[in-house]
Amino acid sequence: MQTAADADDAATLLAAVPAGRRVALVDPRFVGHVHALRLGLTDPRFAAATVPGALTAQPEARGALLRALRRTTAAAGAGAPDTDPVPDDRTVPGRIAVALEAEGTAVKRPELGSLTATVPTDGGARATAESARAEVDDEAVRLRSAVKAHDGFFTTFAISPYSRYIARWCARRGLTPNQVTTASLITALIAAGAAATGTRGGYVAAGILLLFSFVLDCTDGQLARYSLQYSTMGAWLDATFDRAKEYAYYAGLAIGAVRGGDDVWVLALGAMVLQACRHVVDFSFNEANHDAVANTSPTAALSDKLDSVGWTVWARRMIVLPIGERWAMIAVLTALTTPRIVFYALLIGCSLAACYTTAGRLLRSLTRRASRTDRAAQALADLADSGPLAQGVAAVAPGLRGAFTAPAVALLGTLVMIGGALFLPYGSWLTVAAAAVYVVLSGLAVARPLKGALDWLVPPFFRAAEYVTILVLAARSDAPHAVPAAFGLISAVAYHHYDTVYRIRGGTGAPPQWLVRTIGGHEGRTALVAVLAAVLTHAAGFTTALTALAVAVALVVLVESIRFWVSSSAPAVHDEGELA
């Protein structure tokens, strides 16, 4: 920390700071809470940020900061003291923030709420500011703000009242959110191992450990908000570990059930497929409407009206069976019942939740008048995960879709593919023919930009077609352990799809096209599995082929994903939402 005599001296001092460091300007007359300064000056997600009397710039905004400071100095006169009575945009940091925005640099202004941040210009104003600062407990505000504003009922009332204090305990001992996230993953994996024992004691231990893993899962985000430790690695870990924990636990339950004489692998895989398809519905709808223009939906207005009635908010949050409620249900049922009952409850609960949320999204889409942007259309195209086969069809036949809409074509292809897998004789080459039809229809569905009111349904239809086809063909085969192998394959593919979502959310776009081409796209993988089922009918080779495909896909997507998320180009995403 250095004290500048005037604005000109401040420019000189800032220019001398090494280029890779964050810098900050704070008016010496600043009066306010420490956490107000912390919010304004230490959040790594923003290139530039300001609160009244203070301004910070990350390395990428340093050049713009220096230019703005020198312009401000020239306009005010070098060395001129800053004594204007308005504390925000007439202090040196305030003027520079305005100048930065005029130049095109986004400047974040965090909401301070009851926190004080001001620059008094006389003794009376200083006394008033100091009194306001004394009336608000800085630490209490910081603890409250560590908790997400829109959590589920179970998380809000059963976890957050004490997990925030665990987060503070971790912060005071120098623990990072990534370390807590990793501890949550390890705990969940131990829980899955306990479930895999197939004993009542193992199931009870698994339920307890799963709940503890969820407490840590809440704590890592609260720690990130409490200490403002947002990071690229944290974004990747947080985005993927929840799914890894849940699906590993499903596998543990399935293994434990087999040891107890009950094969529930099909149910475990069905629960995973249903959960992944629910998520892609959420992702696609949100991306399609992320920046929609002229949104006028009566359904959305009704939803807002219902949100004004307290009990309906919690009821609607519980209906969608978010992660807190879902994990609590899984933990309790694991301890008290059997894996089969756990999966039945999951399938029923998630199906009802999926019907509720999808119906609401359909109503909103049909009743709103909105124009989709090019960005939204590109996001949906990326979420579709079309490979070289579908892209080839789309390139040569963009006008063949005719009067049919994209979701209608995608739905038709999905029904053909799943129907063929379900009802045609297992191993028949007619299933391969159905896959060929699916490839053509998939290409036609994405032949035009996805800007229609219901075009956000295209990626969910594709996910359902691929995942359900793999599930059905594995379940119908006589190959030993084919369903567990299919579980591994869908897990690897689902990871790729979640990775795509979080790259888009971070504003960096989808994974590179070479990756999509290498792993075949949804239609290529679906067709390949259909061919393998026909060629390796009733043979253990089908399991081997599914396993090899799972390993190959996992290696490619994991290596590329890790490379991206630890690179300098990865976004400091911090997901404030909660996956259903």
Side-chain angles (χ1 to χ4, degrees):
M1 181 182 296
Q2 299 187 60
T3 302
D6 49 44
D8 190 46
D9 187 29
T12 302
L13 291 173
L14 288 175
V17 177
R21 294 184 183 176
R22 174 201 289 269
V23 295
L25 284 172
V26 181
D27 193 295
R29 299 166 296 174
F30 177 86
V31 175
H33 289 97
V34 173
H35 192 51
L37 277 180
R38 190 181 289 115
L39 288 170
L41 303 183
T42 64
D43 195 323
R45 295 173 295 175
F46 311 111
T50 186
V51 294
L55 172 73
T56 186
Q58 297 265 42
E60 59 266 32
R62 285 273 304 274
L65 171 64
L66 280 174
R67 290 191 297 272
L69 181 57
R70 285 169 177 151
R71 287 199 304 272
T72 301
T73 301
D82 180 39
T83 59
D84 289 324
V86 180
D88 188 3
D89 62 353
R90 295 190 183 178
T91 61
V92 170
R95 288 197 189 104
I96 295 171
V98 172
L100 282 173
E101 290 175 319
E103 187 177 315
T105 300
V107 179
K108 175 67 176 179
R109 288 176 168 80
E111 292 290 337
L112 299 181
S114 58
L115 296 175
T116 297
T118 186
V119 179
T121 55
D122 56 48
R126 174 170 288 275
T128 301
E130 290 175 346
S131 176
R133 180 179 61 186
E135 290 175 357
V136 176
D137 186 341
D138 177 90
E139 181 62 18
V141 172
R142 191 180 181 191
L143 272 173
R144 285 197 303 270
S145 63
V147 178
K148 284 193 294 192
H150 302 290
D151 253 332
F153 182 88
F154 179 77
T155 305
T156 298
F157 294 104
I159 305 296
S160 293
Y162 57 87
S163 61
R164 70 184 75 183
Y165 295 101
I166 300 175
R168 181 171 67 180
W169 184 88
C170 293
R172 290 177 174 177
R173 283 154 183 79
L175 297 176
T176 67
N178 293 350
Q179 290 170 332
V180 178
T181 302
T182 303
S184 175
L185 174 66
I186 292 172
T187 304
L189 293 179
I190 295 173
T197 62
T199 64
R200 178 52 53 195
Y203 290 150
V204 172
I208 294 172
L209 288 169
L210 186 65
L211 284 177
F212 182 59
S213 173
F214 182 65
V215 171
L216 293 176
D217 184 57
C218 295
T219 300
D220 65 0
Q222 292 166 356
L223 175 58
R225 286 182 288 272
Y226 180 86
S227 56
L228 298 177
Q229 296 184 72
Y230 307 118
S231 68
T232 56
M233 178 65 75
W236 175 60
L237 295 178
D238 190 56
T240 57
F241 277 13
D242 279 352
R243 307 284 74 77
K245 288 181 286 191
E246 188 166 3
Y247 299 157
Y249 193 82
Y250 291 177
L253 280 176
I255 293 171
V258 170
R259 288 186 171 180
D262 187 14
D263 190 346
V264 296
W265 271 108
V266 171
L267 296 178
L269 184 50
M272 183 173 75
V273 168
L274 178 57
Q275 194 59 31
C277 289
R278 283 185 65 200
H279 284 161
V280 78
V281 167
D282 294 339
F283 296 145
S284 295
F285 178 82
N286 291 335
E287 288 303 324
N289 297 284
H290 177 74
D291 48 6
V293 179
N295 178 10
T296 56
S297 169
T299 308
L302 175 61
S303 178
D304 293 339
K305 184 177 295 185
L306 288 174
D307 282 344
S308 66
V309 182
W311 70 269
T312 65
V313 174
W314 296 116
R316 294 167 69 210
R317 290 184 189 178
M318 294 173 69
I319 288 172
V320 300
L321 203 64
I323 187 170
E325 277 75 359
R326 191 168 68 251
W327 282 27
M329 181 185 73
I330 294 171
V332 171
L333 291 179
T334 298
L336 300 179
T337 63
T338 66
R340 179 172 290 273
I341 292 176
V342 173
F343 288 123
Y344 280 155
L346 267 174
L347 288 167
I348 294 170
C350 290
S351 295
L352 292 175
C355 291
Y356 171 77
T357 55
T358 304
R361 283 159 171 69
L362 286 170
L363 284 174
R364 290 190 182 204
S365 300
L366 292 172
T367 58
R368 80 192 333 162
R369 291 193 179 97
S371 299
R372 300 298 190 278
T373 63
D374 291 338
R375 177 205 171 280
Q378 184 59 53
L380 291 178
D382 293 334
L383 289 173
D385 191 34
S386 300
L389 297 178
Q391 290 177 357
V393 172
V396 300
L400 293 183
R401 203 168 77 195
F404 296 100
T405 63
V409 175
L411 175 60
L412 178 59
T414 298
L415 294 176
V416 168
M417 188 66 255
I418 295 177
L422 272 172
F423 301 115
L424 291 173
Y426 176 79
S428 168
W429 284 94
L430 290 176
T431 307
V432 178
V437 173
Y438 174 67
V439 168
V440 173
L441 293 175
S442 297
L444 293 179
V446 296
R448 298 176 185 172
L450 299 175
K451 292 187 175 183
L454 295 177
D455 283 2
W456 57 270
L457 287 168
V458 171
F461 285 147
F462 288 165
R463 292 299 81 73
E466 179 179 6
Y467 296 169
V468 174
T469 296
I470 296 172
L471 166 61
V472 169
L473 291 178
R476 294 186 67 193
S477 74
D478 291 334
H481 310 301
V483 179
F487 191 98
L489 174 57
I490 294 178
S491 297
V493 174
Y495 176 86
H496 163 61
H497 291 144
Y498 283 112
D499 184 53
T500 300
V501 166
Y502 279 89
R503 293 198 197 203
I504 294 172
R505 283 187 173 183
T508 58
Q513 271 298 302
W514 70 261
L515 175 66
V516 177
R517 289 194 295 269
T518 299
I519 61 176
H522 69 92
E523 80 290 350
R525 291 185 298 270
T526 304
L528 177 59
V529 172
V531 170
L532 291 174
V535 172
L536 304 172
T537 307
H538 306 303
F542 185 54
T543 300
T544 303
L546 287 180
T547 303
L549 182 58
V551 171
V553 171
L555 283 176
V556 174
V557 300
L558 278 174
V559 169
E560 163 55 21
S561 178
I562 293 171
R563 181 208 64 77
F564 171 78
W565 285 105
V566 302
S567 70
S568 59
S569 60
V573 176
H574 185 71
D575 184 28
E576 290 295 329
E578 180 173 341
L579 291 176

